[in-house]
Amino acid sequence: MKRNRTLRIWGGFLLLLLLLFTFLIWNIFAGSVSLSASEIWRILLGGDVGFTQSQIIVKIRLPRLLSALILGGALSLSGYLLQTFFHNPIAGPFVLGISSGAKMTVCVAMLVLLSRGKTTSSAILIAAAFVGAMVSMAMVSMGFVLLISQRVKRMSLLVVCGVMIGYICSALTDFLVTFADDSSIVNLHNWSLGSFSGMSWDNVKTMAVVCGITLLLTFLLSKPIRAYQLGEVYAQNMGVPLRAFRTALILLSSVLSACVTAFAGPISFVGIAVPHLMKSLFKSAEPLCMIPACFLGGGVFCLF
């Protein structure tokens, strides 16, 4: 039985890698300008094909597909961490209002900077999105404390608070956009639709560093996550400091969600759907398996 489980896990990762390779090739070829395989191959090897063709591959398609891979993985992993934290299958950055809070603060930052004729850097957008994500989670936690007594431990009601906070943040964002300048509205509208287009290599480097460090820290929490999945009492008996552990889960998921929102805008469904797809594929809830599976599966899903 253990052998069958191991074969299923390796088979699942092999399938994901095969899909990843297929969609990477597909995304390199996909676009309004048709390029032959020989032209693309020469461009990737640094050959001289033509300035326009090189710009299309190097400046547009490669940053776009790499950002979809990194941010899709980040969003899926964020959803997995939140579903673990709340023991709720529908928990995710969008459902809990994290994405909406991040969207609201990024919107404020963009409006303030654009109104003064300044550009928005990657660091500013990520910082603004992280602040919004943490404010949303703080509001959710306060709502949970106010609405639910200490004797009632129903984590599902915390999700309800998150949905309400998400709608409030979305309403405030729409209110701000209503009174913005026409040029700012165009930029905000394009960003708020959620897209991996328009990425630069600087964006890719920044998101790779942020998401890479967060992924590594998540791996270090794999054993406490496994103990927490078996119950809070079991985790306490195993020596897991629950308060610090929960704080770490919220911080890591917020950083991942903030990075996605800052660069690609609000993308709502990946964080909920992909963790469930990976659990169905691997038939396992082991964090050492699910953490890389969710990251890789999210990237494959967004590339598709």
Side-chain angles (χ1 to χ4, degrees):
M1 187 172 180
K2 186 176 180 180
R3 177 182 174 83
N4 292 335
R5 181 170 172 270
T6 303
L7 290 175
R8 175 180 288 274
I9 291 175
W10 283 109
F13 279 112
L14 183 62
L15 176 61
L16 288 177
L17 290 174
L18 180 62
L19 290 174
L20 175 63
F21 178 77
T22 302
F23 292 142
L24 285 174
I25 298 300
W26 182 20
N27 276 272
I28 290 177
F29 281 91
S32 57
V33 178
S34 299
L35 297 173
S36 65
S38 60
E39 289 177 321
I40 294 176
W41 182 250
R42 276 184 288 170
I43 292 171
L44 294 177
L45 293 178
D48 186 13
V49 176
F51 179 77
T52 302
Q53 291 86 339
S54 298
Q55 291 294 99
I56 289 173
I57 296 297
V58 176
K59 298 293 186 180
I60 298 177
R61 295 185 185 178
L62 284 179
R64 180 181 62 192
L65 66 88
L66 290 176
S67 64
L69 175 61
I70 297 171
L71 297 181
L75 198 55
S76 174
L77 185 57
S78 176
Y80 171 73
L81 293 176
L82 291 173
Q83 289 171 12
T84 300
F85 178 86
F86 293 109
H87 298 293
N88 195 309
I90 66 169
F94 190 80
V95 173
L96 292 172
I98 296 177
S99 295
S100 298
K103 175 184 176 182
M104 180 183 68
T105 50
V106 170
C107 175
V108 172
M110 291 178 69
L111 286 176
V112 172
L113 292 174
L114 290 174
S115 64
R116 297 181 179 181
K118 298 181 179 180
T119 58
T120 53
S121 65
S122 302
I124 292 176
L125 292 180
I126 292 178
F130 178 73
V131 170
M134 296 309 300
V135 168
S136 296
M137 283 308 301
M139 294 172 68
V140 170
S141 300
M142 286 188 294
F144 178 71
V145 173
L146 292 173
L147 295 175
I148 307 170
S149 67
Q150 294 292 332
R151 297 180 181 178
V152 181
K153 296 183 179 181
R154 294 175 59 188
M155 297 297 282
S156 59
L157 292 182
L158 189 55
V159 178
V160 176
C161 294
V163 173
M164 292 190 295
I165 296 302
Y167 279 117
I168 292 172
C169 292
S170 295
L172 290 174
T173 303
D174 294 338
F175 180 79
L176 292 172
V177 172
T178 302
F179 295 96
D181 297 332
D182 292 339
S183 58
S184 300
I185 290 176
V186 173
N187 293 323
L188 285 171
H189 177 71
N190 294 334
W191 168 81
S192 65
L193 292 177
S195 174
F196 300 109
S197 298
M199 298 293 177
S200 65
W201 283 108
D202 289 335
N203 297 147
V204 174
K205 291 177 183 177
T206 303
M207 68 179 70
V209 171
V210 174
C211 295
I213 294 174
T214 309
L215 178 61
L216 178 60
L217 294 175
T218 305
F219 265 115
L220 297 178
L221 290 176
S222 57
K223 287 187 177 180
I225 289 174
R226 184 55 178 163
Y228 187 77
Q229 288 175 339
L230 297 175
E232 295 182 7
V233 176
Y234 179 82
Q236 281 183 321
N237 293 335
M238 292 297 293
V240 178
L242 289 182
R243 181 173 296 180
F245 173 72
R246 288 170 176 167
T247 302
L249 287 185
I250 290 298
L251 288 174
L252 291 174
S253 62
S254 297
V255 168
L256 292 169
S257 179
C259 188
V260 175
T261 305
F263 289 111
I267 301 175
S268 59
F269 54 88
V270 179
I272 297 177
V274 175
H276 292 290
L277 293 175
M278 294 302 102
K279 289 177 183 178
S280 299
L281 175 63
F282 287 89
K283 302 294 182 183
S284 173
E286 180 65 39
L288 283 176
C289 172
M290 289 304 300
I291 290 172
C294 286
F295 195 91
L296 189 58
V300 169
F301 190 87
C302 288
L303 281 171
F304 173 72

